[in-house]
Amino acid sequence: MKILFKLLPVFFLFLSCGSSPSVNKESEADFTIAFGSCNREDSPQILWNPILKNNPDVFLWGGDNIYSDTDNAEKMKAEYLQQKNNAGYQKLLNEVTVLGTWDDHDYGLNDGGKEWSFKEVSQQLFLDFMEVAENIPRRNREGVYHAEVFDTPEGSIKVILLDTRYFRDALLKSEDPNKRYEPSSGTILGDTQWQWLAEELENSEADFNVIMSSIQILSAEHGFEKWANFPSEVEKLKDLLISSEAKNVILLSGDRHISEFSATKVEGLNYPLVDFTSSGLTHTYEDFSGEPNKYRVGEVVKNKSFGLLKFDFEKNKVQLEMRGVKNKLQQDYLLEFQ
């Protein structure tokens, strides 16, 4: 039996947690996005078939698509090839549109930012993996940020993929032994990418706008990488969502080796701002014992997981789901927009 809890009723936000059949009958959707992150190319990859069971229209890589951590181009190229040749991933490629961004381990440097000397090379290797043609302008632009619009007879969705690595300023190391980093000033996206993002949102005519960030945007209390290490960037994003008047924005993230829903009320938005974290595809933080997150809705999932967004244009709602091995529903969240 599925139990439904009502949370933040002013926004008609719902979450259901708990046990479900190992394979659930998926509800019909006008459009389905699957996404995931933290994928070791040399580890068993058991989630591609469960992902395909949900008939996604698009799959989004959320970063750490391989674990390379190198400035050796031949090594990184070989590891991308190993991932590309994975039988399950090949099946996905043949059936589903695949887009993505990167995070630190496919960028080449753990927790790396704009200082990384190998970033121009790793960008081209990433674009090779994503099968971006040589004559596409993205090949000559700094950073891997990108946007695409998906039109359907029922409505449209814009997917915006951010680059949280290429332009990011240095992190401030913490003296607290329980934290890696502390909040500081600086930028995550850089001036050029911020300008691009503003134009993408301001010009968007899509019914829904999905923003993929490799690192968490809302969760702010843990000591690892997150947007909250640069608090002004978080506020800048919120201000942009308000001023752009882009419809129905949903945030996605990865990186943490756990999955969770975070939500907050932003004055000026007539819907709750949700950050859906899904991580990881091949390995997770199995020893996770808890951490504060004042925006968390529901529970933390520490098992292998992928995310689903199921869009209903007529009812202006999106079903958010965490699923895992054998397509088991781990947790879901019904987001209804006004």
Side-chain angles (χ1 to χ4, degrees):
M1 180 178 178
K2 195 174 182 181
I3 302 172
L4 196 65
F5 298 96
K6 187 171 182 181
L7 304 169
L8 303 176
V10 66
F11 288 119
F12 307 102
L13 202 60
F14 298 86
L15 172 92
S16 68
C17 307
S19 61
S20 301
S22 59
V23 178
N24 298 276
K25 176 65 177 176
E26 295 83 14
S27 59
E28 293 296 323
D30 296 322
F31 195 89
T32 299
I33 293 176
F35 76 105
S37 63
C38 302
N39 177 81
R40 291 190 180 276
E41 71 285 351
D42 56 356
S43 293
Q45 298 181 21
I46 60 176
L47 294 183
W48 297 122
N49 282 336
I51 288 170
L52 284 168
K53 283 181 180 290
N54 295 279
N55 299 313
D57 297 280
V58 178
F59 176 79
L60 303 179
W61 282 111
D64 293 339
N65 313 317
I66 60 170
Y67 275 68
S68 197
D69 296 295
T70 185
D71 60 359
N72 183 317
E74 291 305 313
K75 178 178 182 293
M76 182 175 283
K77 183 178 180 179
E79 287 161 342
Y80 270 127
L81 184 61
Q82 182 176 3
Q83 177 56 42
K84 195 71 167 285
N85 289 336
N86 179 277
Y89 182 58
Q90 273 292 317
K91 188 175 181 182
L92 181 89
L93 277 176
N94 289 333
E95 298 183 22
V96 180
T97 297
V98 176
L99 302 174
T101 188
W102 60 11
D103 201 35
D104 53 343
H105 297 294
D106 37 358
Y107 184 55
L109 179 66
N110 184 46
D111 291 358
K114 69 180 184 182
E115 76 283 358
W116 183 223
S117 60
F118 187 67
K119 62 185 181 181
E120 293 181 4
V121 178
S122 61
Q123 174 177 339
Q124 296 305 313
L125 294 173
F126 170 84
L127 294 175
D128 290 344
F129 176 66
M130 296 305 301
E131 300 182 352
V132 176
E134 292 290 342
N135 61 346
I136 299 297
R138 288 167 64 195
R139 286 283 185 174
N140 299 313
R141 184 178 70 189
E142 293 184 323
V144 302
Y145 55 91
H146 178 59
E148 288 196 23
V149 176
F150 296 91
D151 290 306
T152 77
E154 294 81 15
S156 61
I157 297 167
K158 173 173 272 194
V159 173
I160 298 174
L161 300 144
L162 300 180
D163 185 335
T164 65
R165 294 291 159 190
Y166 203 98
F167 308 97
R168 199 215 66 211
D169 283 332
L171 297 162
L172 177 62
K173 292 185 178 181
S174 177
E175 296 181 359
D176 183 342
N178 298 313
K179 290 187 175 183
R180 190 177 296 175
Y181 303 113
E182 293 285 353
S184 63
S185 60
T187 184
I188 296 175
L189 301 187
D191 292 342
T192 300
Q193 187 176 185
W194 268 117
Q195 181 179 350
W196 168 86
L197 177 58
E199 292 172 355
E200 291 293 337
L201 289 170
E202 290 164 359
N203 297 330
S204 178
E205 297 179 355
D207 297 287
F208 296 94
N209 292 273
V210 176
I211 299 178
M212 177 85 245
S213 163
S214 65
I215 58 174
Q216 289 185 306
I217 296 175
L218 291 185
S219 181
E221 296 163 81
H222 63 79
F224 303 102
E225 287 201 278
K226 56 188 182 295
W227 275 62
N229 288 332
F230 301 91
S232 62
E233 295 283 90
V234 180
E235 295 308 309
K236 187 173 182 176
L237 179 60
K238 291 177 180 177
D239 290 343
L240 178 56
L241 297 182
I242 296 166
S243 64
S244 69
E245 299 183 347
K247 295 180 184 176
N248 303 344
V249 176
I250 304 170
L251 309 177
L252 307 181
S253 58
D255 177 57
R256 294 297 320 287
H257 301 177
I258 57 172
S259 297
E260 65 178 343
F261 298 120
S262 302
T264 187
K265 179 181 178 181
V266 177
E267 187 175 353
L269 295 181
N270 63 356
Y271 57 86
L273 186 61
V274 173
D275 183 355
F276 180 0
T277 302
S278 182
S279 172
L281 291 168
T282 61
H283 59 290
T284 59
Y285 188 3
E286 295 181 356
D287 295 329
F288 179 86
S289 59
E291 68 183 25
N293 176 5
K294 66 181 180 180
Y295 300 118
R296 183 180 298 132
V297 182
E299 304 296 329
V300 169
V301 169
K302 61 180 181 180
N303 301 317
K304 295 181 183 68
S305 186
F306 61 93
L308 288 177
L309 293 82
K310 298 179 177 180
F311 295 85
D312 184 324
F313 291 101
E314 181 180 359
K315 296 183 179 179
N316 208 30
K317 66 181 183 180
V318 186
Q319 177 81 4
L320 311 180
E321 297 180 353
M322 298 173 193
R323 288 182 178 264
V325 177
K326 297 183 179 179
N327 203 33
K328 181 178 180 180
L329 180 63
Q330 299 163 327
Q331 194 165 209
D332 65 354
Y333 187 111
L334 179 60
L335 179 54
E336 294 188 274
F337 295 92
Q338 294 181 352

